[in-house]
Amino acid sequence: MIHCKQSRRASSGGRRGYAWLASITGSAVMAIVAGMAAPDAMAQENYPSKPIKVVLGFSAGGGTDAIARALAKHMAGTLGANVLIDNKPGANGNIAAEEVSRAAGDGYTLLYNTSSIASSPALYSKRLSYDVSKDLAPIALTASLPIVLVVPAKSPFKTVQELVAYAKANPGKLNYASAGNGNVTHLAALSFEDAVGIKGMHIPYKGEAPALVDLMAGMVDYYFATSAGAIPAVKSGRLKALAVATKAPLDTLPDVPTLDATVAKGLEMSAWSGMMAPAGTPPAIVAKLNGAVEKALADKEVQAYFANQSAQASSSTPQEYGAFLDKEIDALAKVIKKAGVTLD
């Protein structure tokens, strides 16, 4: 009875409210609507008014982390707000991607993603709790990193030919690291094994930094690292580079041969990275972020840093990045299916 009386009162008040609304002029309605929309418009116009968090799904200290921090530092100057990298390693970057996919689309929580985001739909087809294409909005491609085959400094292998010969003569005795199950560093190793006819034991890590640490300590035998992660360690003498997965030798490692010229004709591999926002982020904010990324990629200091890592800037519009991502999802699905890899 009490619930019914309250319902009738609410209904009566509602009718009086509708009568009042019908009596006001069209211009007044427009003014009310404009007033309601003004805060959102003002928030976009004043963006950013507080620090921006960029979530990265891999450990601090790896090659992707270093590239992301270099870009974030320059973006902060352009945007006039702190741009902070928040490392959330695990599940091949999916912990970070899931967090951002659930965040408010206000431009204050972003994702710095690697190419692993394009392999995840095929690898985790049953377990993935977000849709890359529907729950995240592309901002820009940022960088492309060549893949380098590295071994510990004290490794007995001086050439990639020696590594392959030993692996063929001793099946299953060599192990290799990756920055995570299904990560590009894992897929690179699988492609290498398929090309040269060997099989190693896979040891996944939560990012490139811990993989490099164990490799330098001699706890794993080899690793297909990003150039940004490999080159500093090679130049400091902590690792040896046996081959690069590029068509031509890298300027930063001129004495290191290519896989194409040694043991795997035509085998080329690289990692790429980009920035995304939650779906529903206003186009004006996405455009502003894209402009900040593009300005960072054009900066001479950033370009010099990229060159030292053999990283290539990958300038793009949000639309171009979206189209690129769709193609990569399809291409990596084919590689994963052929390798028979599944993480479900």
Side-chain angles (χ1 to χ4, degrees):
M1 289 295 292
I2 294 174
H3 176 71
C4 290
K5 286 181 180 179
Q6 288 176 335
S7 296
R8 285 197 294 271
R9 287 170 185 167
S11 176
S12 176
R15 286 194 293 272
R16 287 195 295 270
Y18 294 140
W20 170 81
L21 182 59
S23 69
I24 65 176
T25 65
S27 59
V29 172
M30 293 299 293
I32 291 170
V33 173
M36 293 170 63
D40 286 341
M42 187 175 295
Q44 293 178 38
E45 185 176 337
N46 294 334
Y47 174 84
S49 59
K50 61 182 181 180
I52 298 169
K53 179 176 72 172
V54 181
V55 187
L56 172 61
F58 299 95
S59 303
T64 300
D65 178 76
I67 293 293
R69 290 179 187 277
L71 290 174
K73 180 180 179 181
H74 193 280
M75 288 175 67
T78 300
L79 295 169
N82 288 332
V83 181
L84 310 172
I85 301 297
D86 183 17
N87 299 90
K88 294 286 182 69
N92 197 26
N94 286 314
I95 290 175
E98 288 172 2
E99 177 181 323
V100 176
S101 72
R102 296 191 298 266
D106 55 10
Y108 291 103
T109 302
L110 308 177
L111 175 69
Y112 194 87
N113 66 276
T114 67
S115 43
S116 63
I117 202 168
S119 62
S120 288
L123 288 169
Y124 303 90
S125 59
K126 297 178 182 178
R127 292 196 294 162
L128 210 60
S129 64
Y130 70 99
D131 188 308
V132 179
S133 301
K134 294 180 180 178
D135 298 329
L136 294 167
I139 294 173
L141 270 170
T142 54
S144 177
L145 303 169
I147 297 295
V148 183
L149 171 58
V150 286
V151 296
K154 294 182 180 180
S155 171
F157 306 121
K158 295 181 175 60
T159 67
V160 65
Q161 292 94 326
E162 290 179 359
L163 185 150
V164 171
Y166 180 89
K168 285 183 175 180
N170 301 273
K173 285 195 175 182
L174 294 182
N175 56 39
Y176 65 91
S178 80
N181 276 314
N183 183 267
V184 65
T185 56
H186 180 201
L187 298 180
L190 292 175
S191 297
F192 174 73
E193 288 184 339
D194 183 60
V196 300
I198 64 171
K199 189 69 175 177
M201 181 182 296
H202 176 217
I203 302 178
Y205 290 82
K206 289 185 177 181
E208 185 156 77
L212 288 169
V213 168
D214 274 10
L215 184 69
M216 288 185 281
M219 296 180 68
V220 286
D221 296 309
Y222 63 95
Y223 173 49
F224 282 88
T226 68
S227 57
I231 290 171
V234 172
K235 289 190 172 181
S236 67
R238 292 173 292 169
L239 292 176
K240 288 191 295 188
L242 299 188
V244 294
T246 50
K247 188 67 175 177
L250 300 176
D251 292 340
T252 46
L253 297 172
D255 298 325
V256 178
T258 66
L259 290 172
D260 175 74
T262 51
V263 295
K265 184 70 177 175
L267 186 58
E268 297 177 47
M269 299 173 287
S270 66
W272 52 265
S273 55
M275 193 171 288
M276 304 185 81
T281 301
I285 290 179
V286 170
K288 194 166 189 177
L289 289 166
N290 177 269
V293 171
E294 296 302 292
K295 189 172 181 181
L297 294 175
D299 181 76
K300 290 184 178 180
E301 285 188 13
V302 173
Q303 289 180 345
Y305 179 79
F306 273 36
N308 286 335
Q309 318 300 321
S310 283
Q312 297 177 334
S314 301
S315 178
S316 77
T317 65
Q319 294 75 22
E320 289 169 342
Y321 182 25
F324 172 82
L325 185 56
D326 289 341
K327 289 181 181 178
E328 285 292 292
I329 290 173
D330 290 341
L332 288 176
K334 293 175 182 176
V335 172
I336 291 164
K337 184 177 180 180
K338 182 179 180 181
V341 180
T342 179
L343 302 178
D344 283 328

